[in-house]
């Protein structure tokens, strides 16, 4: 019997357009292994909402690919499985998290010591960080020239179909997925996620198809409207690798061709957003401390407030600002929040409450189903003004005006803040101006104008220290 090929699955939980699977399957019978490694990422082990998604994604993949599930340090488990099965080669998809280079080198060394060939494949990104560099051979630190360079580098390769594969006969024991207890039980706070998502490759393909059919045409104008379903909601699927960015890219290109240029403006906007994901990952490779340290170091001298009570009110959606509370409650109920509202709630935490951006990043890490080490860190630092190509700190969103502009009738607010269900559009984003505001909804926890003045003083203080 020919020796088996080990396929180590990571954030690539799909069968189609899967370079590592395709290469492994071409060599012989495979053993698909998934390792739940809570040790290697340390403080960045999967948060609660991610674990819920992972459970369902593995369950979906396991229907078509008999998985060997193991818990432990990935390098230890791989060494053990290679020895037990006498596999002659290992295939896996590259990952860009800060702890990955050390893990991947360790796995390579294990393979070398055991005389196993080790193959690392791309597939999570369209462009490897080494492939997109500026004229000086450095990683781009500004998005616009980065995206221009991506477009100029040519079309990403076309996606590939599911390869024919054979599963090796092996005597390995697999953990039972249920025994990992990835889904919450007492209480089951994720119960309400179920109606909103279909984790797994099929769900990812459905999300892409319905986005193209129902929303793409309106994406450029509508992507900032949380009251309307005009974005793709592909982020958790892309994060877990249930769909490759190549598949999304090529489907959008095909739709553009079908509609003979009518979709171009919206479609290009969408492709550009997909490139933000690439940009975040390239920056993370350049600056692996991105999730914990301000890219612009002066921001780490910001006089942050340490109010557990304020943080708690923000997390629970009890700030008294309807658009902020709607976003935080959407997050709690669904594991997701619309991008425009993510920017508003992040700005509110950092600037109105003067709370360190890392507190918000951690909360999102635990509560988002698309929690992604690169996108989350880059986005929080973008809002904080401390990132590479960030929004200036002094751009302080006014939560009332943001609500009026992007949720004009208050439909989004009413969906998530039932206390305001009967408030008219005129007052929905500032209910404290009503003659009789609803008694069960809190008054604003901070005054916008005062908060703005305090935030600007904090900015001035770090500039002064620098001078
Ligand atoms: C404070 C904050 C935290 C965030 N944390 C995360 C996170 O942990 N994980 C995450 O995937 N996104 C994060 N984002 C980015 C963005 O909000 C989500 O990617 C987007 O809302 C996902 O919805 P969608 O799939 O419908 O997006 P669409 O508008 O349909 O965009 C398509 C895809 O492009 C990518 N994308 C879109 N916007 C961005 C962006 N600004 N940065 C990077 N990639 C982007 C995503 O993969 C997304 O699925 C964060 C944004 C903010 C402001």
């Amino acid at each position: 019997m020919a020796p088996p090929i080990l396929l180590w699955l990571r954030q690539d939980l799909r069968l189609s357009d899967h370079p590592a699977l395709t290469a492994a399957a071409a060599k012989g019978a495979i053993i698909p292994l998934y390792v739940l490694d809570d040790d290697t990422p340390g403080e960045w082990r999967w948060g609660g909402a991610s674990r819920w998604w992972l459970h369902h994604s593995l369950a979906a993949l396991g229907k078509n690919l008999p998985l060997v599930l193991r818990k432990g340090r990935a390098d230890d488990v791989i060494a053990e499985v290679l020895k037990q099965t006498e596999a002659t080669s290992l295939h896996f998809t590259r990952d860009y998290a800060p702890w990955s280079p050390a893990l991947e080198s360790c796995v390579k060394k294990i393979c070398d010591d055991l005389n196993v060939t080790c193959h690392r494949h791309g597939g999570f990104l369209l462009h490897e960080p080494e492939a997109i560099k500026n004229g000086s051979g450095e990683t781009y630190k500004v998005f616009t020239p980065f995206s221009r360079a991506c477009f100029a580098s040519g079309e990403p390769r076309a996606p590939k179909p599911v390869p024919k594969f054979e599963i090796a006969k092996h005597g390995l024991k697999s953990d039972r997925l249920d025994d990992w207890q990835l889904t919450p039980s007492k209480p089951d706070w994720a119960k309400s996620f179920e109606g909103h998502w279909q984790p797994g490759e099929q769900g990812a393909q459905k999300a892409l198809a319905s986005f193209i059919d129902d929303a793409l045409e309106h994406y450029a104008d509508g992507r900032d409207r949380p009251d309307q379903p005009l974005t793709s909601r592909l982020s958790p699927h892309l994060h877990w690798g249930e769909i490759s960015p190549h598949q999304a890219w090529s489907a959008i290109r095909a739709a553009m061709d079908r509609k003979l240029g009518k979709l171009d403006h919206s479609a290009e906007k969408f492709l550009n957003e997909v490139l933000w994901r690439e940009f975040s990952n390239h920056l993370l490779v350049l600056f692996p401390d991105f999730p914990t340290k301000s890219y612009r170091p002066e921001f780490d001298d910001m006089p942050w407030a340490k109010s557990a009570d304020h943080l708690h009110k923000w997390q629970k959606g009890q700030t008294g600002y309807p658009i902020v509370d709607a976003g935080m409650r959407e997050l709690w109920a669904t594991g997701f929040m619309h991008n425009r509202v993510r920017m508003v709630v992040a700005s509110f935490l950092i600037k109105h409450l003067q709370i360190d951006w890392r507190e918000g990043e951690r909360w999102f890490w635990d509560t988002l189903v698309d929690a992604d080490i690169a996108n989350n860190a880059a986005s929080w630092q973008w809002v904080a003004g401390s990132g590479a190509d960030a929004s200036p700190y002094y751009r302080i969103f006014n939560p009332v005006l943001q609500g009026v502009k992007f949720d004009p009738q208050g439909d989004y607010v009413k969906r998530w803040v039932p206390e305001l269900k009967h408030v008219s559009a005129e007052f929905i984003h500032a209910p404290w101006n009503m003659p009789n505001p609803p008694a069960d909804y809190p008054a604003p926890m901070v005054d916008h104008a005062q908060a703005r003045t305090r935030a600007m003083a904090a900015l001035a203080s770090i500039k002064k220290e620098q001078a």
Side-chain angles (χ1 to χ4, degrees):
M1 207 164 56
I5 315 292
L6 187 60
L7 173 69
W8 171 31
L9 293 164
R10 308 170 85 191
Q11 281 165 245
D12 50 0
L13 303 178
R14 66 180 180 279
L15 295 179
S16 58
D17 195 43
H18 193 311
L21 168 62
T22 304
K27 293 256 181 60
I30 60 168
I31 302 176
L33 169 73
Y34 183 87
V35 186
L36 178 63
D37 183 346
D38 278 338
D39 293 332
T40 314
E43 56 181 334
W44 296 108
R45 68 179 65 92
W46 300 126
S50 295
R51 293 172 109 77
W52 175 87
W53 191 286
L54 176 62
H55 175 96
H56 293 288
S57 191
L58 287 172
L61 184 63
K63 287 187 186 146
N64 300 312
L65 190 68
L67 301 170
V68 174
L69 302 177
R70 287 289 175 84
K71 209 172 177 174
R73 283 181 55 103
D75 46 352
D76 290 347
V77 173
I78 288 167
E80 188 194 316
V81 169
L82 285 173
K83 283 182 205 153
Q84 279 176 353
T85 59
E86 297 181 352
T88 49
S89 66
L90 169 74
H91 291 260
F92 64 88
T93 303
R94 181 178 180 185
D95 178 278
Y96 306 87
W99 53 88
S100 267
L103 174 61
E104 291 176 2
S105 328
C106 182
V107 165
K108 168 86 172 75
K109 166 117 188 20
I110 289 166
C111 288
D112 290 348
D113 291 347
L114 294 171
N115 210 15
V116 168
T117 55
C118 181
H119 304 270
R120 185 176 78 165
H121 301 266
F124 188 73
L125 295 179
L126 298 163
H127 305 281
E128 293 302 322
E130 298 74 24
I132 304 288
K133 300 278 184 185
N134 66 18
S136 321
E138 291 165 353
T139 298
Y140 283 97
K141 292 169 198 84
V142 178
F143 177 72
T144 306
F146 170 82
S147 84
R148 242 186 259 130
C150 291
F151 278 111
S153 72
E155 275 298 284
R157 63 165 177 74
K160 302 216 166 71
V162 180
K164 285 208 168 65
F165 58 84
E166 187 191 335
I167 299 296
K169 291 197 172 58
H170 59 76
L172 295 171
K173 283 206 183 105
S174 169
D175 293 349
R176 279 179 30 155
L177 182 56
D178 285 344
D179 291 345
W180 284 359
Q181 299 185 345
L182 294 170
T183 53
S185 52
K186 289 177 196 153
D188 181 0
W189 47 259
K191 185 94 200 101
S192 55
F193 288 14
E194 280 160 23
H196 296 275
W197 302 106
Q198 184 186 349
E201 185 166 13
Q202 215 187 351
Q205 292 293 342
K206 269 196 212 161
L208 176 62
S210 62
F211 171 64
I212 290 174
D213 289 347
D214 305 334
L216 178 57
E217 197 181 339
H218 309 289
Y219 182 77
D221 299 330
R223 57 181 287 274
D224 272 321
R225 293 285 299 266
D227 55 339
Q228 295 176 15
L230 295 177
T231 70
S232 70
R233 294 170 69 92
L234 277 174
S235 50
H237 299 292
L238 282 164
H239 166 78
W240 290 105
E242 297 169 352
I243 188 167
S244 73
H246 303 79
Q247 290 173 310
W249 191 279
S250 109
I252 298 295
R253 283 288 195 219
M256 288 166 87
D257 290 346
R258 274 199 309 275
K259 296 279 175 138
L260 303 170
K262 284 199 195 114
L263 285 178
D264 284 6
H265 180 48
S266 269
E268 269 155 24
K269 195 90 196 118
F270 179 82
L271 297 180
N272 223 42
E273 291 308 311
V274 173
L275 292 180
W276 272 102
R277 175 178 179 270
E278 304 273 312
F279 186 55
S280 305
N281 277 278
H282 289 209
L283 285 176
L284 183 62
V285 170
L286 175 74
F287 187 57
D289 286 336
F290 219 18
T292 48
K293 290 208 173 96
S294 295
Y295 179 84
R296 293 165 198 260
E298 67 272 22
F299 278 83
D300 279 341
D301 295 329
M302 193 63 106
W304 300 118
K306 290 196 171 31
S307 168
D309 173 53
H310 278 191
L311 179 62
H312 185 75
K313 284 191 171 126
W314 177 81
Q315 290 171 336
K316 297 292 162 202
Q318 294 289 344
T319 68
Y321 283 95
I323 191 86
V324 174
D325 293 341
M328 298 310 291
R329 296 188 201 184
E330 178 188 21
L331 174 61
W332 188 251
T334 69
F336 186 84
M337 193 194 301
H338 187 279
N339 180 60
R340 167 59 49 181
V341 191
R342 290 187 204 203
M343 293 194 283
V344 174
V345 304
S347 171
F348 188 84
L349 182 79
I350 298 166
K351 296 166 189 176
H352 285 72
L353 303 183
Q354 276 290 294
I355 291 181
D356 192 331
W357 59 268
R358 282 157 284 225
E359 292 285 358
E361 182 196 28
R362 296 238 163 241
W363 183 250
F364 273 25
W365 183 256
D366 202 26
T367 52
L368 277 172
V369 287
D370 65 17
D372 181 273
I373 194 80
N375 286 350
N376 201 30
S379 302
W380 275 95
Q381 294 224 35
W382 185 87
V383 179
S386 61
D389 180 4
S391 167
Y393 175 91
Y394 54 76
R395 189 170 164 217
I396 298 173
F397 283 128
N398 178 329
V400 177
L401 297 184
Q402 289 286 310
V404 169
K405 186 162 179 198
F406 297 111
D407 180 29
Q409 297 308 311
D411 295 340
Y412 175 74
V413 163
K414 289 182 187 184
R415 195 174 314 143
W416 299 111
V417 186
E419 303 95 292
L420 302 178
K421 211 163 52 199
H422 301 297
V423 173
S424 69
E426 184 188 355
F427 292 112
I428 190 72
H429 294 292
W432 55 87
N433 287 332
M434 294 169 75
N436 291 307
D440 52 355
Y441 184 69
M445 63 189 286
V446 287
D447 172 73
H448 171 68
Q450 283 171 7
R452 190 170 200 292
T453 307
R454 190 170 73 134
M456 293 308 287
L459 178 67
S461 78
I462 63 167
K463 291 227 162 124
K464 208 181 288 160
E465 266 174 49
Q466 243 196 330

